[in-house]
Amino acid sequence: MKAQKFSAKVGLYFAISLLGFLAFFIFERLGADATAWAQLPIVGGLVGALFQLVRDDAAADRAKQLEQYKQKFVFGAQSHMAQTIWNKQVEFCEAYASELVKCVAVLYADGPAKSAGNCATALFAIRRRYAVWVPADLETKLDPFEKALRDIGNSAHVADRAPGGGNPELRQQHIDRMYREFAKAMGESEWLGEQLTGEAGHAVVLNSLKSMLGIDDMSALWLR
């Protein structure tokens, strides 16, 4: 496209110059003086057309340069924003994964206990700190694990408040809930014959963080 525009421009300049030369040559052959030749309307038209072409070409070049500057500015701004988003998401994933490892250690050490609720609070605090930078689709993958931890902690509190009295049936329901949610958080596929979806498992959360950063894809490329 640029080559075509350049060729058309050169051809137009050449045509105007050729017409001017022919007009000068004809009047020179007819014996007219230079002053009379310069006063001819065709000569003035040719000079005016050439001046207009030069002026339009200069204006087009200025407009093109301005557009290039704008594009460079927009690209630079977008690149900066993209880099900022990437850095923040890396920070979030590192912070969340670090806390996740601590939570899993607590689950293994304490089992279904009130401490699971504290883990859910710590994880949610990290999400709230990076709320602007966390994609919505990732949040939906983090919710089930955090919910399981909260349910474990809440049911543990209820069960501890009524160790022997109160409503034993309600207490047993909360104990069952504690262990069912614990099985979910640990990634079990079933609990007492009940099929579990597995979406609340801690391994799913870690894999979701890695997937958002493209860790597996980039590692596969590097290892080829």
Side-chain angles (χ1 to χ4, degrees):
M1 182 62 69
K2 291 183 178 179
Q4 290 177 353
K5 287 184 177 180
F6 179 77
S7 298
K9 188 186 300 182
V10 171
L12 190 56
Y13 287 157
F14 178 76
I16 292 175
S17 301
L18 181 60
L19 287 174
F21 175 77
L22 288 175
F24 175 78
F25 177 76
I26 292 171
F27 273 82
E28 182 69 20
R29 296 288 291 178
L30 293 176
D33 57 18
T35 303
W37 177 83
Q39 292 176 351
L40 286 175
I42 187 174
V43 176
L46 290 173
V47 173
L50 184 60
F51 175 77
Q52 185 67 35
L53 283 173
V54 173
R55 186 175 65 178
D56 292 345
D57 189 48
D61 288 341
R62 286 195 298 270
K64 183 179 178 181
Q65 289 179 352
L66 180 60
E67 184 63 26
Q68 289 176 344
Y69 291 146
K70 288 180 179 179
Q71 290 177 355
K72 289 180 180 179
F73 175 78
V74 172
F75 178 77
Q78 290 176 342
S79 297
H80 173 71
M81 190 60 185
Q83 187 63 46
T84 301
I85 293 173
W86 170 256
N87 291 338
K88 290 295 183 180
Q89 289 181 345
V90 170
E91 289 179 16
F92 166 75
C93 289
E94 289 178 340
Y96 199 93
S98 177
E99 191 63 35
L100 175 66
V101 171
K102 295 178 183 178
C103 291
V104 174
V106 169
L107 290 175
Y108 275 111
D110 298 348
K114 290 183 289 187
S115 55
N118 297 330
C119 292
T121 301
L123 290 173
F124 183 73
I126 296 173
R127 285 176 63 179
R128 185 172 54 189
R129 189 164 73 244
Y130 291 92
V132 177
W133 311 105
V134 182
D137 59 339
L138 177 62
E139 292 207 57
T140 59
K141 296 176 181 177
L142 304 181
D143 285 337
F145 179 72
E146 291 184 17
K147 182 180 182 301
L149 295 181
R150 284 193 299 270
D151 290 344
I152 293 171
N154 292 337
S155 291
H157 275 290
V158 175
D160 287 348
R161 285 182 188 143
N167 189 336
E169 183 178 347
L170 179 62
R171 181 173 182 271
Q172 186 59 47
Q173 289 178 358
H174 279 283
I175 292 176
D176 291 344
R177 185 191 185 200
M178 284 167 47
Y179 280 92
R180 182 174 59 253
E181 297 304 314
F182 178 77
K184 290 181 180 179
M186 300 305 289
E188 299 294 336
S189 60
E190 66 173 302
W191 179 79
L192 295 181
E194 177 185 347
Q195 296 297 316
L196 305 177
T197 61
E199 63 179 2
H202 60 82
V204 173
V205 175
L206 184 59
N207 288 334
S208 297
L209 297 173
K210 292 167 63 178
S211 178
M212 189 187 75
L213 298 180
I215 300 300
D216 292 337
D217 293 337
M218 286 188 287
S219 297
L221 290 174
W222 291 333
L223 294 175
R224 285 181 182 178

